[in-house]
Amino acid sequence: MIDSFRQAFELLFSFDKELWQIIGVTMRMSLLSTTISCLIGLPLGALLGTKQFKGKSLIKKTVHTLMGLPPVVAGLLVYTLFTHYGPFGSLNLLFTVEIMVIAQVILITPIVIGLSSSFIEGNSKPVIETARGLGLSRRKTAMLCLSEGRSSLLSVVLSAFGRSIAEVGAVSIVGGNIQWKTRVMTTAIMLETNKGKFSFALAMGMILLLIAFLVNALASFVVKEPAHD
Amino acid sequence: MIKLENVKKRYAERTVLDIPLLSIAQGEIVAFAGANGSGKTTLLRLLAGLIQADEGSAQLPAERLYMPQQCYAFRGDLVKNITLGGGDAAKARQLLEALELSALADKPARSLSGGELQRLALCRLLVRDCRVLLLDEPTAACDARGAELVLHAIQAYREAHDCAVLMTTHSPVLAAKGADRLIILNSGKPEADGEPREVLLHPATEWAKSFIAGWKIEC
Ligand SMILES: Nc1ncnc2c1ncn2[C@@H]1O[C@H](COP(=O)(O)OP(=O)(O)OP(=O)(O)O)[C@@H](O)[C@H]1O
Ligand SMILES: [Mg+2]
């Protein structure tokens, strides 16, 4: 354990080219899939959380089911769609970072929709009532809902990011864990573990945690929460 | 200035509001009373345009402001809370002064007590111009002094803007002191309507009489 700590630091500060390349791919994939999922998921979550319409409860059940979609299943699905003989085979996306992002967006978007809609449903009623009572536009009302709930929405975004950076099943299937190309932290850890290099794998795991911590810290710094309450 | 004709509102087949005819003049302050669930909030939300009537027609000016029964504190200090719908900061400070909230002006609105928050929510409306004020139980959380301040602020606004004020209340004192007219709703229907003292002292129907008796007032 102590050994792994030492190794993690040595690894980080040796500026090992491959390690930094893997970190780079991991960040690119996670940030991209989180951003896309949030761009799709937050508006849909807001819609689901504030509007009443037919079939809403069916949609909610579907979303909640998809929140628990096993990553390997999502990976397999994307794989069959994009394999050489699949319907999107001609795009030649298999074993690229792009397809890893696609698989992750499928995994994460339901989480963003599900979490944000139940949060918005529970919290935005008095905001909407007050804002509309003041005759504010729909746009202004929506902005107020977002800014009033920004700390909770931030944790939705961070959950999405956390799932993305920690996920291994889907990205190893569609990405293939190719050195210098689609290898990310999690698939690298899997590989090292399989090779029996446990302390090295553990060291990578610590670096992964460190990255997650830094991203969280940065995010809560950006969305400053007043100290009282 | 405001005219409702045969307005009905139903929730799941149950009629919660049924108003054959109601007109309210410019500059009039009208208090609505009635038991819990008698449709007071529903009426104000309908007039505010937050819900639609199932039947009938409602004519009223577009410039109207509504204060919900449940007051909400936005992030930020009191002045920010007051001006987030428009209106200028100087006027906001005047209103805080009038409602005796000046000492709290730089505090976060979230830290206010229930009665303080209610007065703050009223300021949010009074800082702006409108033709109709719709206030859902504006003094429910206030102490005697607070209620007095609220009434004065409402009356001053009415003088300045010559607007109609529709408010709901469970307080006969507020109705008698603060309003020109009192309407009592019985299961969504206006059952008594007139000058507040008149309505309170000489209820028109047996039902109104027993409802008012529930207030246990001697005036
Ligand atoms: N959105 C809704 N869906 C279903 N029923 C509703 C809804 N809003 C109100 N009601 C019903 O309509 C009736 C009138 O409610 P309303 O809130 O207008 O009463 P109120 O007179 O304001 O009561 P209170 O004095 O408790 O504030 C109640 O029986 C309530 O259950
Ligand atoms: Mg009510």
Side-chain angles (χ1 to χ4, degrees):
Chain A
M1 191 71 184
I2 304 283
D3 213 40
S4 304
F5 262 120
R6 200 172 45 79
Q7 228 174 5
F9 272 100
E10 276 174 16
L11 213 63
L12 261 180
F13 293 104
S14 68
F15 294 100
D16 179 74
K17 253 204 174 134
E18 185 173 1
L19 174 71
W20 284 97
Q21 193 267 343
I22 292 177
I23 293 178
V25 175
T26 308
M27 290 305 283
R28 195 151 67 88
M29 174 194 71
S30 301
L31 289 177
L32 213 59
S33 44
T34 306
T35 309
I36 296 174
S37 304
C38 289
L39 286 179
I40 303 171
L42 288 179
L44 288 179
L47 213 66
L48 209 56
T50 54
K51 289 267 180 300
Q52 299 298 330
F53 52 87
K54 251 199 177 140
K56 177 171 159 170
S57 79
L58 183 68
I59 292 180
K60 271 170 95 174
K61 283 191 190 92
T62 311
V63 168
H64 284 128
T65 308
L66 290 179
M67 282 171 80
L69 184 69
V72 281
V73 175
L76 215 57
L77 184 80
V78 174
Y79 188 93
T80 41
L81 288 176
F82 286 85
T83 187
H84 201 63
Y85 308 103
F88 303 113
S90 55
L91 294 174
N92 265 330
L93 281 178
L94 214 52
F95 308 130
T96 61
V97 174
E98 286 74 26
I99 199 166
M100 291 155 76
V101 170
I102 293 175
Q104 293 213 319
V105 166
I106 292 176
L107 274 177
I108 300 167
T109 307
I111 298 179
V112 175
I113 298 176
L115 291 181
S116 64
S117 69
S118 50
F119 158 70
I120 289 170
E121 191 159 36
N123 291 270
S124 60
K125 256 208 177 112
V127 179
I128 293 175
E129 187 88 356
T130 305
R132 292 192 56 202
L134 292 168
L136 303 186
S137 65
R138 275 180 189 279
R139 216 183 94 87
K140 186 96 200 271
T141 304
M143 295 306 287
L144 274 176
C145 283
L146 284 181
S147 92
E148 287 300 297
R150 61 184 179 232
S151 53
S152 314
L153 289 175
L154 177 72
S155 56
V156 173
V157 175
L158 288 177
S159 311
F161 180 78
R163 169 98 180 197
S164 164
I165 201 171
E167 198 279 316
V168 53
V171 292
S172 64
I173 293 178
V174 300
N177 191 24
I178 300 169
Q179 195 177 19
W180 299 111
K181 196 177 170 201
T182 59
R183 182 163 298 167
V184 289
M185 296 296 284
T186 50
T187 52
I189 291 172
M190 281 290 285
L191 185 72
E192 297 303 327
T193 308
N194 288 339
K195 284 202 285 192
K197 292 191 188 167
F198 295 116
S199 64
F200 188 74
L202 209 56
M204 297 274 280
M206 285 173 186
I207 296 172
L208 186 64
L209 268 177
L210 186 70
I211 296 174
F213 176 78
L214 289 178
V215 169
N216 273 279
L218 187 71
S220 45
F221 178 75
V222 173
V223 183
K224 254 189 249 116
E225 206 40 37
H228 71 273
D229 267 30
Chain B
M1 165 151 113
I2 299 176
K3 192 165 184 192
L4 301 188
E5 269 176 298
N6 291 318
V7 166
K8 284 192 178 142
K9 178 71 192 170
R10 290 183 205 95
Y11 283 119
E13 301 303 306
R14 192 164 66 94
T15 303
V16 296
L17 201 62
D18 178 1
I19 301 189
L21 185 68
L22 174 66
S23 12
I24 290 163
Q26 194 169 341
E28 204 169 17
I29 299 183
V30 185
F32 290 86
N36 292 139
S38 57
K40 303 181 294 296
T41 297
T42 307
L43 173 63
L44 291 193
R45 293 187 76 223
L46 195 141
L47 292 173
L50 297 181
I51 50 173
Q52 303 300 316
D54 295 313
E55 269 177 46
S57 68
Q59 297 167 25
L60 72 167
E63 307 87 10
R64 52 198 188 230
L65 295 169
Y66 164 68
M67 173 174 141
Q69 188 164 2
Q70 225 128 41
C71 302
Y72 182 82
F74 290 92
R75 283 168 190 274
D77 62 21
L78 305 202
V79 174
K80 190 176 168 221
N81 257 269
I82 295 175
T83 53
L84 96 176
D88 64 278
K91 201 159 171 202
R93 288 190 183 282
Q94 278 174 21
L95 285 166
L96 286 174
E97 186 76 47
L99 286 153
E100 297 187 353
L101 292 169
S102 291
L104 303 167
D106 301 319
K107 292 245 162 59
R110 298 244 161 115
S111 66
L112 293 186
S113 77
E116 290 163 351
L117 174 59
Q118 193 159 41
R119 281 180 274 153
L120 173 71
L122 181 68
C123 293
R124 234 179 244 149
L125 272 61
L126 300 187
V127 79
R128 300 175 53 191
D129 300 328
C130 75
R131 308 284 312 284
V132 182
L133 272 186
L134 304 162
L135 311 171
D136 204 349
E137 299 193 24
T139 61
C142 293
D143 60 17
R145 171 87 185 144
E148 187 95 350
L149 295 170
V150 165
L151 279 187
H152 278 138
I154 293 171
Q155 280 163 346
Y157 186 89
R158 188 260 308 261
E159 302 308 324
H161 292 79
D162 197 26
C163 67
V165 180
L166 283 71
M167 60 185 179
T168 64
T169 180
H170 287 296
S171 150
V173 179
L174 182 84
K177 259 173 124 177
D180 309 318
R181 183 173 162 194
L182 172 63
I183 298 174
I184 301 181
L185 292 179
N186 176 10
S187 311
K189 258 193 160 138
E191 172 108 20
D193 181 349
E195 199 277 319
R197 270 167 201 286
E198 195 59 30
V199 170
L200 292 171
L201 292 172
H202 310 290
T205 66
E206 276 308 306
W207 179 87
K209 196 171 181 173
S210 68
F211 177 76
I212 288 161
W215 270 337
K216 292 194 183 63
I217 43 159
E218 290 117 36
C219 47

